[in-house]
Amino acid sequence: MTIEKPKQPSTAEVEKPISYTDHYYQKGHWWLKIRQTIVIILLWLCVVIPLYWTLSSTILAQKPYLYHAWRYAEGRDLFYFYDLFFLIAFIILAIIIVGATLHNNHRMKQHVRKEVQYDPEQLRVRKAKLETFYTDRFGQASFRKSVRRYTVNPDQNLETHTIQKLYED
């Protein structure tokens, strides 16, 4: 009985950059968009509600027009006792978050493969249609590029969705 060793990846395979796509921003995928949007809203509520609760009952306790979640003196005393701790924790977290963001941005710019997100054949066809349309409407490309000033006749004005309709054909 022989045991096969797993195939070792080549250097090209190891160094091949990773490519990411995000279905949230593509057409369709409505359940994904709805689910992720609801989760994000709930998570932001988990940040905003405790923050408001704490600030309204401590720093903004003298404001009578705000709803105060609690009015206990012990809670305010404890909050002000830990204010230096909160300040240091905030600074440390801010440094970590900014550092992680910078690291991620560098990684995305330098190490992630960039993929073409459009169909090059469709782009070529659209450019040809657009060039034909402009030639029919405004004259040859050499003329259009050489003229400094051009007065557009009222019948040459474009409708609102002319180019979009041109692409749909």
Side-chain angles (χ1 to χ4, degrees):
M1 180 170 168
T2 60
I3 298 174
E4 292 183 28
K5 291 184 179 179
K7 180 185 168 198
Q8 292 294 326
S10 67
T11 306
E13 291 173 343
V14 172
E15 292 177 354
K16 180 180 175 185
I18 302 169
S19 176
Y20 297 100
T21 57
D22 192 353
H23 297 299
Y24 188 88
Y25 296 104
Q26 294 176 350
K27 288 185 179 180
H29 307 287
W30 287 106
W31 287 114
L32 175 72
K33 292 177 185 181
I34 292 169
R35 187 177 71 238
Q36 285 187 357
T37 303
I38 290 172
V39 168
I40 290 299
I41 290 170
L42 291 175
L43 290 175
W44 271 110
L45 286 175
C46 290
V47 170
V48 171
I49 290 173
L51 186 64
Y52 175 78
W53 189 333
T54 303
L55 292 179
S56 69
S57 300
T58 55
I59 296 172
L60 305 173
Q62 304 305 320
K63 309 288 183 192
Y65 54 85
L66 288 177
Y67 172 76
H68 303 292
W70 43 266
R71 298 177 187 269
Y72 308 114
E74 296 87 7
R76 279 192 289 280
D77 293 341
L78 187 63
F79 176 80
Y80 289 118
F81 178 74
Y82 284 118
D83 62 352
L84 183 63
F85 168 76
F86 289 143
L87 180 64
I88 293 171
F90 176 77
I91 291 170
I92 290 172
L93 285 174
I95 290 170
I96 290 171
I97 289 170
V98 168
T101 301
L102 292 174
H103 171 73
N104 189 48
N105 289 346
H106 170 73
R107 188 172 180 284
M108 289 295 288
K109 287 180 184 174
Q110 301 300 326
H111 302 292
V112 176
R113 180 174 32 137
K114 290 147 181 78
E115 287 185 0
V116 176
Q117 297 291 325
Y118 59 88
D119 182 9
E121 179 60 27
Q122 183 184 26
L123 178 64
R124 188 190 61 72
V125 169
R126 284 183 170 186
K127 281 184 175 182
K129 282 184 181 181
L130 203 56
E131 184 60 34
T132 304
F133 175 76
Y134 286 154
T135 302
D136 293 343
R137 195 87 172 233
F138 304 108
Q140 292 296 323
S142 59
F143 168 73
R144 293 192 317 258
K145 293 178 183 176
S146 66
V147 174
R148 283 187 166 215
R149 292 180 183 246
Y150 181 77
T151 305
V152 177
N153 296 327
D155 61 319
Q156 288 178 318
N157 286 333
L158 299 179
E159 299 291 327
T160 304
H161 300 287
T162 304
I163 305 300
Q164 183 178 358
K165 289 176 185 172
L166 182 67
Y167 288 160
E168 290 173 357
D169 293 339

